[in-house]
Amino acid sequence: MATSAGRGLVSHDTQKRLQRIAVYLTALLISVFTIIPVYVMVVIAIQSPATTFAGGRVNLLPTEPSLRNFLVLLGSTDTVRYFVNSLVVTLGSTVLSTTIAVAAGYGLTRFDFTGKSLAARAVLFSYMFSPIVLAIPLYVVFSTLGLLNSHFALTLALTAISAPFCIWLMWQYFQTVPIALEESAWVRGASRWRTVRDVVLPVARPGYISAAIFAFAVAWNDFTMARVVMSRDEMYTITVGASLFLDRVSIGWGETMAVSLLISIPPFLIALFLQRYLLQGFSVGGLE
């Protein structure tokens, strides 16, 4: 009996060890497939074409770092203008989506009305539509209103994509904020607005920061809406502008990788410095 129990214990330990090894191997494979493209992008971006393609092969060991590709982008293309356009519409969409999400999420949580749960789920369901499904109707609306080729129109379009999920996230998060905190403020004479501003929002900071990060990611990485709403070259965002470089004879792989690196920097910095809020917001919001 003791021998049988010992064998069972050994078998259990072996199983746990194998599971741990499988997890580590899976994590290693995912890391390799994630890191290699980023590494190649960085290496080609920081080397001149002559160094990268010396000897008729691609040199992936950065022996002579250079800013040549970035200088070509700044001097020969509209990269700065594209970058500014992206910042304008991304920041506008992020602020608008987060504001709508906070207001709608709080309303769905604290106010009772017929069909509240159905309305919340309908908002989430609307997020499941692909942006291309919304692109043509929005194009017709903006064309009728004379809003094509404007930052305002693209900001509204990007908000339409990200706001539903942000609303659902904030609805879930506000349910974790105790109503007793607000009641305590009301007893002391605080208005609902002041209670939301001074009590609810500080507690819900991880939630709305997560919503803002999500809205930022959607807007910054968007290609479809920018391509549909904008038709003038000077109004393109960085994602659309970068795609045009592939058709230019004077722009090679070095410059293309350089602009790809520039596109990657803002999301990387946001994820690096705000990951704590992102994890808290998504976990409490029911996305564990």
Side-chain angles (χ1 to χ4, degrees), residues 62-76:
T63 55
E64 300 179 17
S66 171
L67 296 178
R68 181 262 179 195
N69 295 324
F70 298 95
L71 295 177
V72 171
L73 287 177
L74 296 178
S76 305

Side-chain angles (χ1 to χ4, degrees), residues 20-36:
R20 191 179 300 111
I21 293 174
V23 170
Y24 289 156
L25 288 176
T26 303
L28 179 61
L29 288 175
I30 294 176
S31 300
V32 168
F33 281 106
T34 303
I35 293 174
I36 287 179

